[in-house]
Amino acid sequence: METSGVNVRLLMRLGYWSVWHGLYAEASILFSGAQAARIVLLRGEVPQVDVDESTLAVTDFYSAFEPAIKLSSGVYSGKRLFDVARAARLAGHALQHRDRKLGGLASWDSFMILWGNAWPILLPLLLIASKGRPWAVIGFALVAIAIAIGHLLKHTHVQDAARRGRRELEGAKLLDGHPEKEIEAAFLAARLDHMALPYSKTWLRLLFS
């Protein structure tokens, strides 16, 4: 009888854990990336910024000129924690724009996309034009290093945008029930996604993906 009692208590504990685990899993799919971005914008009092689904090759960015957040179909409808974090980070740039703290990030991102698409073409042309002289390669490498350092310095704007987006999501209780490590990992991935901009928005990625 004692063994049966232990088994009953164990089953009850497993059932209790399963219910709560199920609720947490259900909570993780209640909001899509687009809905999370809109909530961040509403809480930040910038409802004039649109959240659009884009089918273009270059997506998942904040367009300060419209203004609008352009999301890929996967992030727009996606309900993974990463989709929510990426959309929230982009909405965070709209909050920076509201506070006049966006700086030249939008123009810099456009330049990095251009650079990412251009350098694989420029480098062979430079080698051909210079007939393989070392100074050409060294000069190109120095320019590439300078651009990489500039991109790294701009990352502080991305970190701030991610913090703003996360703060609004937490204020709306959208992240409740998720382990802290999972939240940190999702927002870290959303920040590093910007670091990969010279590759992720290029013809090279489309060619090899």
Side-chain angles (χ1 to χ4, degrees):
M1 293 295 292
E2 183 177 352
T3 302
S4 299
V6 170
N7 290 337
V8 169
R9 286 194 297 271
L10 179 59
L11 288 173
M12 289 177 65
R13 290 176 182 175
L14 287 173
Y16 179 81
W17 178 86
S18 298
V19 168
W20 278 106
H21 180 76
L23 288 176
Y24 289 160
E26 184 69 21
S28 69
I29 60 171
L30 288 178
F31 293 92
S32 66
Q35 290 169 324
R38 291 190 180 103
I39 288 173
V40 171
L41 295 173
L42 288 173
R43 288 179 59 84
E45 299 181 352
V46 281
Q48 69 274 16
V49 177
D50 294 326
V51 180
D52 301 329
E53 182 178 7
S54 177
T55 57
L56 299 176
V58 178
T59 56
D60 297 326
F61 66 95
Y62 171 64
S63 174
F65 309 104
E66 297 188 39
I69 297 172
K70 304 293 187 179
L71 298 177
S72 62
S73 299
V75 175
Y76 188 91
S77 304
K79 296 180 179 179
R80 300 174 302 164
L81 189 56
F82 170 70
D83 298 323
V84 170
R86 175 184 276 185
R89 194 265 291 177
L90 295 174
H93 289 306
L95 303 189
Q96 289 176 322
H97 198 182
R98 175 202 63 189
D99 297 337
R100 301 181 184 276
K101 293 184 178 180
L102 184 62
L105 186 64
S107 299
W108 177 261
D109 287 354
S110 298
F111 168 73
M112 289 305 296
I113 293 173
L114 177 63
W115 168 253
N117 282 283
W119 77 260
I121 300 173
L122 291 176
L123 181 57
L125 291 177
L126 181 63
L127 291 174
I128 293 172
S130 64
K131 298 180 179 179
R133 292 186 179 91
W135 62 263
V137 178
I138 294 172
F140 189 89
L142 291 175
V143 170
I145 291 172
I147 292 175
I149 292 173
H151 192 50
L152 184 62
L153 293 175
K154 288 289 183 181
H155 194 63
T156 55
H157 287 75
V158 179
Q159 291 174 316
D160 178 64
R163 282 193 295 268
R164 290 168 180 258
R166 178 175 176 176
R167 183 167 60 242
E168 298 301 338
L169 290 182
E170 289 177 338
K173 308 298 183 183
L174 292 183
L175 300 180
D176 287 2
H178 292 281
E180 181 68 20
K181 288 184 178 180
E182 290 184 8
I183 297 173
E184 287 288 347
F187 276 90
L188 174 61
R191 296 196 304 271
L192 293 179
D193 182 61
H194 181 267
M195 293 296 293
L197 198 62
Y199 170 73
S200 61
K201 312 294 185 185
T202 64
W203 59 270
L204 275 177
R205 184 192 68 82
L206 295 175
L207 185 63
F208 293 106
S209 62

